[in-house]
Structure formats: C-alpha cells, structure tokens
Amino acid sequence: MADVWVKFEPDNARVGVPRGTLVLVAARRAGVPIESLCGGRGVCGKCLCRIVEGEIAEEGEQRAVLGAQYEAGLRLACQTRLLSDATVYVPQEARVSTPQILEQAAFSLGERAPQPAVRKVYVTLPRPSLSDPRGDLERLLDALREGGVAEPRCPHVRALRELPRLLRQADFAVTALLRENELLAVEPGETTSELYGIALDLGTTTVVGYLVDLRTGERLACASTLNDQVQFGDDVVSRISFAAQGAEQRRELQRAALSSANRVIEQACAQAKVVRERVSLATFVGNTCMSHLFWGIDPFALAQAPYTAAVQQGLEAPAGEVGLGIAPGALVRWLPNIAGWVGADTVGVILATGMHRSQDVWLAIDIGTNGEVVLGNRERLLACSCAAGPAFEGSQIRQGMRGAEGAVDHVDILDGSVTYTTIGGAPARGICGSGLVDAVASLRRAGLVDESGRLANEQTLADDVSPDLRARLVEIDGQPAFVIVSAEESALAEPVALTQRDVRQLQLAKGAIAAGVRILLDEAGLEPGDVRRVLLAGAFGWYIRQSSAAEIGLFPRELEERAEAVGNAAGAGAYLALVSEELFAEAQEIARRVTYIELAGRPEFDSAFAEAMLFSPGEREAG
Amino acid sequence: MADVWVKFEPDNARVGVPRGTLVLVAARRAGVPIESLCGGRGVCGKCLCRIVEGEIAEEGEQRAVLGAQYEAGLRLACQTRLLSDATVYVPQEARVSTPQILEQAAFSLGERAPQPAVRKVYVTLPRPSLSDPRGDLERLLDALREGGVAEPRCPHVRALRELPRLLRQADFAVTALLRENELLAVEPGETTSELYGIALDLGTTTVVGYLVDLRTGERLACASTLNDQVQFGDDVVSRISFAAQGAEQRRELQRAALSSANRVIEQACAQAKVVRERVSLATFVGNTCMSHLFWGIDPFALAQAPYTAAVQQGLEAPAGEVGLGIAPGALVRWLPNIAGWVGADTVGVILATGMHRSQDVWLAIDIGTNGEVVLGNRERLLACSCAAGPAFEGSQIRQGMRGAEGAVDHVDILDGSVTYTTIGGAPARGICGSGLVDAVASLRRAGLVDESGRLANEQTLADDVSPDLRARLVEIDGQPAFVIVSAEESALAEPVALTQRDVRQLQLAKGAIAAGVRILLDEAGLEPGDVRRVLLAGAFGWYIRQSSAAEIGLFPRELEERAEAVGNAAGAGAYLALVSEELFAEAQEIARRVTYIELAGRPEFDSAFAEAMLFSPGEREAG
C-alpha cells in the first residue's frame, strides 16, 4: 500500500511508496537513475538530491560527508527517508549517464554475412477439416517441412499454449521463429522482415544494450542504465555476500539484473521504434559473478579460495522462462566464462579484438570495476584477474566520480602551471579515472610525487618548483593534497584536489594490474618488447592517455607507443556472437582455449605486486 | 484473510476460509474429498453434508433435489455458504473413494527388463584447487565422462543453481540423475538405490498414480483422488468452456490438475515410504483435453468442429518447471494424443493390451466420462470417440452413483423375482454403471423393456409376469419406473428404482458406443465375427457383466463370449511407458499409426446411432 507520494524533478516522475522509504529506493522505482557508488552505505556522496517539499528523516553522517553541499541544501538519497508526500529534485551530477564510450568498439562483422542463431519462416497452413484432423502443431511442422525446414520439431510447451487461437485469428498464415529445426515461437501473419536481437553487456555497475537488426547486422540503438544490483553493494564481493544469505536474496539480485536489462531493452527499442516482442535473440556478456547472479546460481564459491565458478559453459534458456522482456520464445544466451574471476566479458574482448587469431602477441587490459588481463596470440592465450578495486571508476577516491559531465578527465602540468579539461566542458565537480591517472602521471613528471608515491611537501620540494605549483600543495583532512581545480573554478564549494590517500589508492589499483601483466609475461616466457599491441578495453581505457598509463606503470613503459583504446570490446564481442553463429562458436572455443592463471596461487605474486605499486625511476621533465 | 473457521468431521480437518465460502470449496481446501458430479451446479445431489454447528446460507433448490434427505438434515455442499465458524459432517456416501479397479490391469513387463528414461550415476570429484580451477559443472561432467557417460552435458540451468553448495556439503561425492547424456539433477551422496517413477492416469474425474521402483519395475503403491477440476464442471466440455474464458481460467484448471496429481503422488509416496524428491520420472496418460489443460494449452478448438488438438505429440518438461511435486529436475512426460477426442489414455490402452502387435483383430472399448473405441491389429488400427456422456458413471441417472460402497452393481431377474448385490454388501443407496446395464439387460430379458426401450406398464404387460415384478412397476415423478430395492431395504428413505428416463439415458450412451463400433467395423471392411477379442477397459468395463453388455447391445451380441475386462489399461500403459523407453517409443509409434475416424464427419453416423439406440430383437427368456 502506498503511504506517501513523491515527485521527482525535473523528470516530473511520480511514485507511491511506503512511508519511511529511502529517497534512493523511491527514485529507482520512479525510474530516476540516481548514481550510488557505495551501494547505499552513505559514504560515497554521489546520490545527491534536494528536498523541495515534504517531511524527511535524515540518517548517517550526511553533514560530514557532504560538507558545504549539505549547507547548500543537498542530501544523500540513500540516507534520507520520506515521511510525507514530497517533491525531490535530483541534480544532473547525481544521475547515471550513458558514457559515450559504450557506443565505441569494433562493431564490425568485416567480410562476414550475418548468420544469427534464429531465423523466421513464413508459412500458410491448410485449414483443419473433418477429413484432415492433424493437430495444430503437427500441421505447422508439416508446413515448415514443406517450406524447407529439415525435421522441424517443437520441444517447448510455451510455444503451444496460445497456438490454437493464434492460428485461427491469423487465418492460418503465421511466421515461425526457429533455431535450426527447433520451433521457438509462432507469430501471427508475415513478420520475417522484423528479426531483431540485442547484445547486452551486464556490467557490475552499468548495463549496456545494443539493439541489432539481425538480417543486416546493423546496430539500431544503444542504451545503458545503472545495474540495479548496486543497491546491494557496488562491488562484486558484497553482492556475493548478500547472495550467500539465501535463495531469496539470490532472487533479489537476479530480479535486479533482469530489471536493469529490461530497462535497457525498453530504451533501445523505444529509440529504434522496435516492438520488444520482435526481439528474438539476446546475447549477454558480463563477469562470472554477473552470469551467476543473472541465472540465479549460488555464487558463494567465487569468493572463497580456490574461487571456483559453478559453471564455465555458456547457458541459455527461453526469454519467457528467464523473465527477459523480449519475445517470450526468444533465445537468451550467455557467452561462456573462463574462470571464477575471468568471465564472458573477457571472452567478448578477445573475440572483438581478434587476438585469438593474431600471429603477433597482444596484451589486452580491460578495466572495469575489476581488471582482467589477457596475453597471447593464436597459439596460446593466458588470462588473469587483478583485484584493482574500483579506484579507476572513481570510487574510494575522495572526489572520485565516474566519467560523467563535470568530471576532470585530463590534467597537464606544463611550465609550472596546471591545465585540465572536464567532460562536457562543465565546471569541475570531481575527478574520474582518466583524470586521476593523468594527474598522478603529471605530478610524477613534475617531481611532485616520488617513486614510492609520496606527495612532495615544503621539506622535500625542489627549489625550482613554480610558485603556482607550490601554492597547490595543501593539506586536506590532515593529509597532503594537490589542488587541481580551485574552489572558485569548481562547481563545488571547495577545490577539486588529489590527496595522498588518493595516490595510494591509485598505486594499489595500478599495482594489481601491472603485477598481473608481469606474471603473464613471465608465464609465457616473454619480455615486454615481445608484445606488439596493448589493447585498452572499457571506458577507462578509452579516456586515459596511453602516455599517462605508461608513466604510472599500468603497463611496461616501453609499450606506450603500441597502446590503443578499443572501447567497449566486451560489448562488441556480445554483438558479434549475437549476429553470427560462427563467431558464437568461436567464443566458446576461446573460453576453452584460454589458460587461466590464478594470481592468488602464485608465490611470486606478492613481490611482483609490491614492486608494481612503486613508480618507475622517472626522468624529471619539467618543474 | 480467513474470516471463518470450519471443522470437518469425522476427519477433524480444520480450515480457515473467507466468510461466504461454499462448503464444497472449504472441504477441498481442507483435503476432504467430497463427490460432486455436476460440478457444483446443485443438481446431482452427491455432495451431501450435515451442518452440525454454525450459521449458513442455503442456495438453489436443495429441498427439491434432496427430498427426504433434506428433511433428515442433509444439505448440498455446493449450495451452502458458511457465514460463521462451523462444524460440518461429511457422510461416507458423499466421499470420493478409490475404486478397487484402478489397481487392476496388465502391469507386467513380461520378458522385458526395466529400461527407464532416467538413470543415476554416482561419482566422486577431485576437490577444486588453485591449480585445478575447473568450474563445478565442468568438474562434474568430467567425472561423469570418466564414469562412462558419453559426452555428458547440462542444458538445464535449474540443475546448477544449488550445485556449488551441494557439492561442498556432500564433500564432492554426488549422484547425477541423467537422461541419456543429459544431466537433469544432482543429489548429495550415493542415492543410486533410490530411483523411483510414477505413472499417472489423469482422468476427467479421477486421478490415479502408480509408484514404481524403476530399477525393478515393481509397483510399490497405488493412490487415487478426485480431479480437482471437477469444480469447474464434471465433463470435458464445460471445462473447455471455462478455459476458453482466458489465460487465468486456464491456469486455474492447470493448478487443479497439478494439485490433484500432487495429492496422488504424496499419498503413493507415503504408502511406500518413498521420499518425493527421489521420484525422478513421471509419465502421464489422460484424454486430449486433460493433456492440454495439464500443460496450460488453450483447448478451445477441441470443442469446435473439426475438433482439432493443439498438439498430438507427447510433451515433456522438468518437474520443477511444471510444478509437479517430485524431484525438481525429474522428467515429466505425457504419452502422445491420437486426435482431439482420442488421447494419450487410448494410446495407453493399446500399449497395455498389446493389440498393436496382435495378428488377430481385437476391439477395445474404454468407457470413462467419455468413450473411446479402437479396432484393429498389427496391420491397422482405427479409433473413434463416442459421446456416450457420463451415464455409465452414474451421472444423469436419477439415482446413479459411481462404483462406491452401497452402489447396486449387479441385478438379476430370475423366476419372476429380483436379486441384486451392492458394492461392499452395504444397504443400497444408488445404482452404478454396471448395475444400470445389468438392470436394463434383465428387464429386457424379462420382457419389461421393449426393443424401443419402453418400460412395460399395466396395458402392455404380458400375462405371465409374476406379481412381484408387477408390483415393482410404479410411477416416480410422473414417469414409469421399476423398483430394484425397496425403501425398507435401501439406505435411503425411498426405494432404489430405475425410471423410464434412466433407460433412455442408457440407450443414448450405449447407442453412441455401439454406433462407433459399427462404423469402425464398416470402415475396416469387417464383420463382427472377425473380431477375436473384445477388451473392456476402465472401471466400467471391469464391473459390468459381459453378458449384460452384449444383451443391451454395447457391442455385437455374438461377441459376448469373446469379451473380457482388462482393468485400467490406460494406467497400465502409462506404467509400461514409464518403466521402458522401448515401450515409450512404441507408444509414440502407436499414436502415429492409429487412423482416427471422426464420427461427426460421417453421413452414416446418424442412422447408425438411431439404430444402435434400439435394443436388438430379444428372445424372451423368463417372466
């Protein structure tokens, strides 16, 4: 029973919720996508809202977390409960936006013709009569046989439930949706010209979908949304813990994954003006945990050594059974996982980049909420997972944020002064992963961060450092910090700055990745110079400068010139496997071929990690 | 929310229901099996109850329907609403009982060894380690492969959901349930000695289940219950009408079928002390409408010319998906249908009798709520459906009842006087199908019913008729009647008698069957004398005397000596197909081979029917 009504602005979206509901929960119900990095724990400070009208109850340490923003009337949606009818304003910076990057990737079939797993065949059936008493299904299968389908069969009861009425209403002229010789669904009339599919990348944080015309392979629309599972924790481990509590919790996570995917499907279909019921195939990628949660499989063993997946093979089921909002008879499938912490998304990256067919050795680094590294070529592929943590996505960074409008995404220190850019050119309101890497790389070059990662202070500062830079070295919350954007220029009531702790977080994150790269190279018996291409996948890989990534040592510095961004390669892999059965089979082959290297099992990992956390001895460039 | 509590006696079963609920509905919820032939329309007078305590509201014409029983305090459960907490007594005669017959049939594999569709394989898996990171499923499939299963695979997500925890709790020693190379389910520990199956006959009125040890083929238990669908009508056509109203109505009928089947499973498992979750295979027979309703398939076309089935092939799905209360991964399958009105039950009859392998021509007649006739041998099989109506089950007969305690089941007129027996030797309280046939056959022989079916009266009575018989010719409700049991001897406050209308009902019913037999013989170009065996299947076939059936002309009189009862052959067919894959395949072959003859499409049917309604010119025997 709805006790209070809340209106969200400027969306003008209304929803009824029980009295005492959190603003964050109400916003989700109303379809207002509020950002929440910490999973509602009241610490990330992202889920900003302003109570325009209505009675609320505040919880947690909002004043401490929000500082000046609190005084300016902003509140945390995850720590504010609605006690009466209310109007809530959600500012732009609190919203999840569709990163441009998600549109970018190698979405190309090249020379191949589309060859999807499903097809449509239009048939007209002779009407039943007293002298031709065949069952409706048998009549349809006979017509399909005459129409050239070899040994058609129907193993799915679902396709039959409405068949008698559908056939008669359609005057016995229908279109069959088939997977090889298997009847999946029947549609009234001639619908062969409408054969759509959707490729979905179910990320820990973001869900992206690409709507595709399966007859041509053309991408018709792209949509994305926040993974509703973030309300149960922003990282994979907290979701596993939640899921481990029981079957009901697992179902909640499954429902959240589905509702997010369904929202993406709805948006993409609306954009392209495609009826959802005409989407006949869905292909998913995502990490191993996401695949488990999507299918309702207990993921608890993923979080315990030796981190075993319940299943590696790709799973599939009809959409109606799964609860995916496309044609109920549509085929829903996932690409296979490689291991407990290297999932179908990595298979997608390999498939889309084509490194499994390359003669040269390539290195692929996909950094999302977690980081995966793949090394190899058509002879051999090695993969590992790196617990980089979400620092590259702006989490655990004091003023970190995702790559949305107002995020500082590039920083330069030249001739003793600082320049920066923000996404969308808007006043700075935080720093995203690429800005973080740039900032630290620049500070490194400027000699303001030493090899161990320590920020310079009055005592350690070289004499030739410019007054501007000196003035930027301040103290924030009792620790050294470097101001990138002054309070005057920023959108906040305070400067945008990098603290010593932020640098340490970056070191942990980049150290994990770099150690993984190191161990894969050792395992393969290769030197960095043997790598011909470094492929940076994902949003982070798209926005960072390769020079900065090399500078901080994310990958060996000598490979700087060989590095390139490949965009959402995981999503592109899902697209390719959606459009071509041959490529789907290739994805399965990839999953079988990749050798998974468990870093936790390596005695050399700890020292490699300790070493990789340091910055390489730099040639100081400018002061 | 329960508004009133009602206690049923002598069961001492309590249930809470909304105020205003019908006693019949409350009784079903409480698990008290009240008989209701008319589907709650208040006309059959079977659903007797006595309100011991509590306030009620009476509806309908109870006083008229119940007569003296009303004065004696009995009420119709389907026309009585509960307005307060109440205590309700349900007399024995109002209860559904398990007819003995259902235990009887050719439940024999003969020379065959059991060869069910599912099997179990016990395996112990190597524990996962950092150096052996295979997924749980892949580990299991590898172990099965080593255990001799060729190319094991798992297409069912369901089997995986709990796998990680199950494997670890079972210390990696598990039993796999397989169908050929397909993994259906995983059970902890070694359970290969517990492999059970259940054969179910889902009748329009009664659901019977036979629990079987699949390793030996041994029948462990038999249970039966009323099909809960009777609340939506006692005949197939009223259920089709109800289902045609929409998807929700169809789901109600589906739920009713499932709850009845689940009750049978529970009872059978309790009898044999078998855990339901160890039942790994279920095989159903039933008429075409029952199969449609079980699977949730729209049956509306069955009731409209040309009476087409939505599907003829046998369907199957995992129990967990269907909602059948056995192992969730268990395979649930139906035998195929032959046509819209000749279903899997007839396939079962053919399979169990073996007529499809006979060199001689046999005639099988299965009379349940509907009647099916099959004629043929291993060369050719013809089948038709006869709209006999439920007269043979006691419905539409003034004092008709099913074959339960107190039913007059045999009647003889010898030397001018009447003898009869009742089931269980109890005081007569009605007449069941076999008693009805016996009574009419005897009256025919005694010259008290003429060829056209007219009961004798003072004017038409022969002089040599005994005074006892004369005295039994009375008038009831304004029509001629013949008293079988006097009011003094009966359990009722009135005599048990046969009315002119009852004889007419019998003529309609037997005429439909006999016309079907006639048309099949004509179609096959055979004379009655060519038939070597007449197989009477079902409860009715078990209880009637072949001589009486021949006398009234249910089948050609010259075949009297060749007739035999074969019991619940449909159920026996389900048993055979459950225990042997070879026989299941034979059942599928039977469904393909049988030629369905639609009587409604025959111009000769009307005259055959009119002729078959008459009684053959009899040789008068005794007066």
Side-chain angles (χ1 to χ4, degrees):
Chain A
M1 204 55 105
D3 287 329
V4 303
W5 281 92
V6 50
K7 186 171 82 175
F8 288 94
E9 289 188 338
D11 314 72
N12 201 25
R14 283 168 57 83
V15 67
V17 290
R19 188 168 177 280
T21 297
L22 290 171
V23 173
L24 185 65
V25 172
R28 288 222 171 95
R29 293 230 183 117
V32 175
I34 297 189
E35 181 92 296
S36 164
L37 287 183
C38 67
R41 283 176 292 129
V43 296
C44 76
K46 308 299 174 194
C47 60
L48 297 175
C49 65
R50 187 187 305 277
I51 310 302
V52 178
E53 202 177 8
E55 196 187 336
I56 55 158
E58 292 183 29
E59 295 178 355
E61 307 290 311
Q62 298 208 40
R63 194 179 297 267
V65 173
L66 292 173
Q69 292 182 311
Y70 186 90
E71 306 309 331
L74 291 168
R75 296 294 178 272
L76 292 175
C78 73
Q79 301 288 318
T80 305
R81 295 187 184 278
L82 294 158
L83 301 183
S84 72
D85 289 356
T87 302
V88 177
Y89 176 81
V90 179
Q92 189 54 38
E93 63 263 34
R95 288 164 186 268
V96 180
S97 58
T98 305
Q100 248 190 310
I101 154 67
L102 299 169
E103 296 271 9
Q104 313 298 329
F107 287 95
S108 164
L109 277 173
E111 303 280 286
R112 289 168 203 277
Q115 173 215 5
V118 295
R119 61 178 166 146
K120 285 185 169 182
V121 176
Y122 172 68
V123 283
T124 56
L125 320 184
R127 298 172 148 284
S129 67
L130 290 174
S131 60
D132 174 5
R134 282 175 296 166
D136 289 344
L137 174 65
E138 284 69 22
R139 185 175 305 277
L140 174 58
L141 294 181
D142 285 347
L144 288 170
R145 202 173 288 118
E146 283 160 29
V149 179
E151 294 180 46
R153 60 194 205 90
C154 176
H156 305 286
V157 176
R158 181 180 302 277
L160 298 174
R161 298 220 160 95
E162 307 294 335
L163 186 61
R165 210 168 286 269
L166 186 150
L167 278 182
R168 284 158 186 82
Q169 283 173 354
D171 213 12
F172 290 89
V174 293
T175 301
L177 178 69
L178 292 161
R179 177 199 192 178
E180 294 176 3
N181 64 340
E182 255 181 38
L183 180 67
L184 301 181
V186 184
E187 295 173 352
E190 154 69 284
T191 64
T192 53
S193 65
E194 299 170 84
L195 184 66
Y196 303 105
I198 188 142
L200 288 134
D201 176 7
L202 183 64
T204 309
T205 308
T206 308
V207 183
V208 198
Y210 306 95
L211 183 68
V212 178
D213 185 332
L214 293 177
R215 295 170 312 149
T216 60
E218 188 193 351
R219 268 203 299 159
L220 303 177
C222 167
S224 75
T225 189
L226 193 69
N227 185 337
D228 288 346
Q229 289 180 342
V230 294
Q231 61 192 291
F232 306 103
D234 62 339
D235 61 301
V236 161
V237 173
S238 20
R239 294 191 209 162
I240 295 175
S241 308
F242 184 75
Q245 289 171 29
E248 185 42 49
Q249 282 80 358
R250 235 151 65 216
R251 269 193 292 276
E252 276 193 64
L253 285 163
Q254 190 180 22
R255 275 194 294 268
L258 278 166
S259 66
S260 317
N262 285 336
R263 211 156 52 233
V264 163
I265 290 167
E266 225 163 87
Q267 288 169 14
C269 286
Q271 275 175 43
K273 296 195 172 35
V274 161
V275 178
R276 284 191 295 127
E277 285 70 26
R278 290 286 180 269
V279 179
S280 306
L281 183 63
T283 306
F284 279 84
V285 296
N287 64 46
T288 307
C289 179
M290 288 304 112
S291 79
H292 281 51
L293 295 178
F294 178 88
W295 291 110
I297 298 170
D298 192 341
F300 89 100
L302 293 176
Q304 297 179 0
Y307 317 108
T308 319
V311 53
Q312 292 169 277
Q313 70 174 39
L315 298 175
E316 53 179 56
E321 204 173 292
V322 174
L324 200 68
I326 55 178
L331 181 63
V332 177
R333 27 158 65 172
W334 271 72
L335 263 56
N337 297 311
I338 292 171
W341 289 85
V342 179
D345 46 359
T346 301
V347 172
V349 167
I350 298 172
L351 182 69
T353 58
M355 64 188 293
H356 61 301
R357 290 194 229 109
S358 158
Q359 186 162 2
D360 294 330
V361 171
W362 297 355
L363 175 69
I365 305 177
D366 189 8
I367 300 176
T369 309
N370 205 48
E372 294 94 29
V373 179
V374 187
L375 176 76
N377 61 3
R378 65 186 185 194
E379 306 291 334
R380 190 177 180 198
L381 288 165
L382 303 177
C384 69
S385 165
C386 309
F392 291 131
E393 293 200 321
S395 192
Q396 289 168 29
I397 299 299
R398 188 174 153 276
Q399 290 175 314
M401 63 183 285
R402 290 215 196 82
E405 201 172 88
V408 172
D409 59 345
H410 288 125
V411 179
D412 280 299
I413 299 179
L414 276 175
D415 301 329
S417 70
V418 173
T419 57
Y420 66 91
T421 61
T422 62
I423 294 180
R429 57 185 183 91
I431 185 162
C432 69
S434 65
L436 178 69
V437 171
D438 251 19
V440 175
S442 297
L443 288 169
R444 223 5 237 138
R445 288 195 199 96
L448 299 179
V449 161
D450 70 12
E451 275 180 47
S452 75
R454 199 169 12 234
L455 261 175
N457 58 29
E458 283 300 332
Q459 283 70 48
T460 63
L461 211 53
D463 294 340
D464 57 353
V465 170
S466 75
D468 175 35
L469 292 184
R470 275 178 196 277
R472 289 173 183 266
L473 284 165
V474 298
E475 191 164 284
I476 293 179
D477 299 345
Q479 52 173 323
F482 181 82
V483 172
I484 299 168
V485 182
S486 68
E488 295 74 43
E489 284 183 28
S490 88
L492 313 174
E494 53 173 338
V496 173
L498 202 69
T499 65
Q500 178 64 63
R501 198 175 291 136
D502 294 342
V503 178
R504 294 294 181 215
Q505 288 293 337
L506 177 79
Q507 284 180 278
L508 287 169
K510 77 103 182 178
I513 304 280
V517 171
R518 179 73 260 161
I519 287 179
L520 291 194
L521 284 168
D522 288 350
E523 180 72 22
L526 297 173
E527 289 303 318
D530 296 327
V531 174
R532 291 288 150 184
R533 287 174 80 191
V534 177
L535 309 167
L536 301 172
F540 174 74
W542 189 255
Y543 288 111
I544 53 166
R545 289 188 212 172
Q546 283 86 55
S547 58
S548 297
E551 173 66 41
I552 65 160
L554 191 67
F555 51 82
R557 191 192 289 246
E558 59 200 290
L559 297 177
E560 180 181 330
E561 298 296 319
R562 300 182 187 168
E564 64 197 282
V566 293
N568 183 13
Y575 160 82
L576 294 174
L578 172 79
V579 178
S580 163
E581 271 302 86
E582 203 181 320
L583 292 175
F584 190 90
E586 230 170 77
Q588 292 180 300
E589 182 56 30
I590 286 168
R592 273 190 295 269
R593 272 187 51 202
V594 172
T595 304
Y596 173 67
I597 306 295
E598 174 57 63
L599 298 185
R602 300 266 146 177
E604 67 271 33
F605 178 73
D606 287 351
S607 61
F609 181 49
E611 196 179 309
M613 277 217 298
L614 301 180
F615 295 112
S616 60
E619 317 92 309
R620 275 193 59 197
E621 284 169 11
Chain B
M1 202 59 102
D3 286 331
V4 304
W5 281 92
V6 49
K7 186 171 84 177
F8 287 95
E9 290 188 336
D11 315 72
N12 201 25
R14 282 167 60 83
V15 67
V17 291
R19 190 168 175 278
T21 297
L22 290 170
V23 173
L24 185 64
V25 172
R28 288 222 171 96
R29 295 228 181 120
V32 175
I34 296 188
E35 182 93 297
S36 163
L37 288 182
C38 67
R41 283 176 291 130
V43 297
C44 75
K46 306 299 174 194
C47 61
L48 298 174
C49 66
R50 187 188 303 277
I51 310 300
V52 179
E53 200 177 8
E55 197 187 336
I56 55 159
E58 292 183 29
E59 296 178 353
E61 307 289 311
Q62 297 208 39
R63 194 179 297 265
V65 173
L66 291 173
Q69 292 182 310
Y70 186 91
E71 306 306 333
L74 290 169
R75 295 294 177 271
L76 292 175
C78 74
Q79 301 289 317
T80 304
R81 294 187 185 277
L82 295 157
L83 302 183
S84 72
D85 289 356
T87 302
V88 177
Y89 176 81
V90 179
Q92 189 54 38
E93 62 263 33
R95 288 165 186 265
V96 180
S97 57
T98 306
Q100 246 191 312
I101 157 69
L102 298 170
E103 295 272 10
Q104 311 299 328
F107 285 95
S108 164
L109 277 173
E111 302 281 287
R112 289 168 202 277
Q115 174 214 3
V118 294
R119 62 177 165 145
K120 284 185 170 182
V121 176
Y122 172 69
V123 282
T124 56
L125 319 184
R127 297 172 150 284
S129 66
L130 290 174
S131 60
D132 174 6
R134 283 175 294 167
D136 289 343
L137 174 65
E138 284 69 22
R139 185 175 305 277
L140 174 59
L141 295 180
D142 286 348
L144 287 170
R145 202 173 288 116
E146 284 161 29
V149 179
E151 294 179 47
R153 59 195 206 89
C154 176
H156 304 287
V157 176
R158 181 181 302 279
L160 298 174
R161 297 218 160 95
E162 307 295 336
L163 186 61
R165 211 168 285 270
L166 186 150
L167 278 183
R168 285 157 185 82
Q169 283 173 354
D171 212 11
F172 290 89
V174 293
T175 300
L177 178 68
L178 292 161
R179 178 199 190 176
E180 293 177 4
N181 65 338
E182 254 181 40
L183 180 67
L184 302 181
V186 184
E187 296 173 352
E190 154 69 284
T191 65
T192 53
S193 64
E194 300 169 83
L195 184 66
Y196 303 104
I198 189 142
L200 288 134
D201 176 7
L202 183 64
T204 308
T205 308
T206 308
V207 183
V208 199
Y210 305 95
L211 183 69
V212 178
D213 185 331
L214 293 177
R215 295 172 311 151
T216 61
E218 189 193 349
R219 269 203 300 159
L220 303 177
C222 167
S224 75
T225 189
L226 193 69
N227 185 337
D228 287 347
Q229 289 180 342
V230 294
Q231 63 192 289
F232 306 101
D234 62 339
D235 61 300
V236 160
V237 173
S238 20
R239 294 191 209 162
I240 295 175
S241 310
F242 183 75
Q245 290 171 29
E248 185 42 49
Q249 283 79 358
R250 236 152 63 217
R251 268 192 293 275
E252 276 192 66
L253 284 164
Q254 190 180 22
R255 275 195 292 268
L258 278 168
S259 66
S260 317
N262 285 337
R263 212 157 50 233
V264 163
I265 290 167
E266 224 162 88
Q267 288 169 14
C269 286
Q271 275 175 43
K273 296 195 173 36
V274 162
V275 178
R276 285 192 293 127
E277 285 70 26
R278 290 287 180 268
V279 179
S280 307
L281 183 64
T283 306
F284 279 85
V285 297
N287 64 46
T288 307
C289 179
M290 287 304 112
S291 79
H292 281 50
L293 296 178
F294 178 88
W295 290 110
I297 298 170
D298 193 341
F300 89 100
L302 293 175
Q304 296 179 359
Y307 318 107
T308 321
V311 55
Q312 293 169 277
Q313 71 174 39
L315 298 175
E316 54 179 54
E321 205 173 290
V322 175
L324 201 67
I326 55 178
L331 181 63
V332 176
R333 27 158 63 172
W334 270 72
L335 262 58
N337 298 311
I338 292 171
W341 288 85
V342 178
D345 46 359
T346 301
V347 173
V349 167
I350 298 172
L351 182 68
T353 58
M355 65 189 293
H356 62 299
R357 290 194 228 110
S358 157
Q359 185 160 4
D360 295 330
V361 171
W362 297 356
L363 175 69
I365 304 177
D366 189 9
I367 300 176
T369 310
N370 205 47
E372 295 93 29
V373 179
V374 187
L375 175 75
N377 60 4
R378 65 186 184 196
E379 306 291 332
R380 190 178 179 197
L381 288 165
L382 303 177
C384 69
S385 165
C386 308
F392 290 131
E393 294 199 321
S395 194
Q396 290 169 27
I397 299 300
R398 187 174 154 275
Q399 291 175 314
M401 63 184 285
R402 288 211 198 85
E405 200 171 90
V408 171
D409 60 344
H410 287 125
V411 178
D412 279 299
I413 300 180
L414 275 175
D415 301 328
S417 69
V418 173
T419 57
Y420 68 90
T421 60
T422 62
I423 294 180
R429 57 187 184 89
I431 185 162
C432 68
S434 65
L436 178 69
V437 171
D438 251 18
V440 175
S442 297
L443 288 169
R444 223 4 238 139
R445 288 194 200 98
L448 299 180
V449 162
D450 70 13
E451 276 180 46
S452 74
R454 196 165 22 230
L455 260 174
N457 58 30
E458 282 300 332
Q459 283 70 48
T460 62
L461 211 53
D463 294 340
D464 57 354
V465 171
S466 75
D468 176 36
L469 294 184
R470 274 177 197 277
R472 288 173 184 265
L473 285 165
V474 298
E475 190 163 286
I476 293 178
D477 298 345
Q479 51 173 324
F482 181 82
V483 172
I484 298 168
V485 182
S486 67
E488 295 73 46
E489 283 183 28
S490 86
L492 313 175
E494 52 172 341
V496 173
L498 203 69
T499 67
Q500 179 65 62
R501 197 174 292 134
D502 294 341
V503 178
R504 295 295 181 214
Q505 288 294 337
L506 177 78
Q507 284 180 279
L508 288 169
K510 78 103 179 177
I513 303 282
V517 171
R518 178 75 259 161
I519 287 180
L520 291 194
L521 283 168
D522 288 350
E523 181 73 22
L526 296 173
E527 289 302 318
D530 296 328
V531 174
R532 290 288 150 183
R533 288 173 81 191
V534 177
L535 308 168
L536 302 172
F540 174 75
W542 189 255
Y543 288 112
I544 53 165
R545 288 187 212 173
Q546 282 85 53
S547 58
S548 297
E551 173 67 41
I552 65 160
L554 190 68
F555 53 83
R557 190 193 289 245
E558 59 201 287
L559 297 177
E560 180 182 330
E561 297 297 318
R562 300 183 189 169
E564 64 199 280
V566 293
N568 183 13
Y575 160 83
L576 295 174
L578 172 78
V579 178
S580 163
E581 271 303 86
E582 203 180 322
L583 292 175
F584 190 91
E586 230 169 78
Q588 292 179 301
E589 182 56 32
I590 286 169
R592 274 190 293 269
R593 274 188 49 202
V594 172
T595 305
Y596 173 68
I597 307 294
E598 175 56 64
L599 298 185
R602 300 266 147 177
E604 68 270 33
F605 178 74
D606 287 350
S607 61
F609 181 49
E611 197 179 308
M613 277 216 301
L614 301 179
F615 295 110
S616 59
E619 316 94 309
R620 275 195 58 197
E621 284 171 9

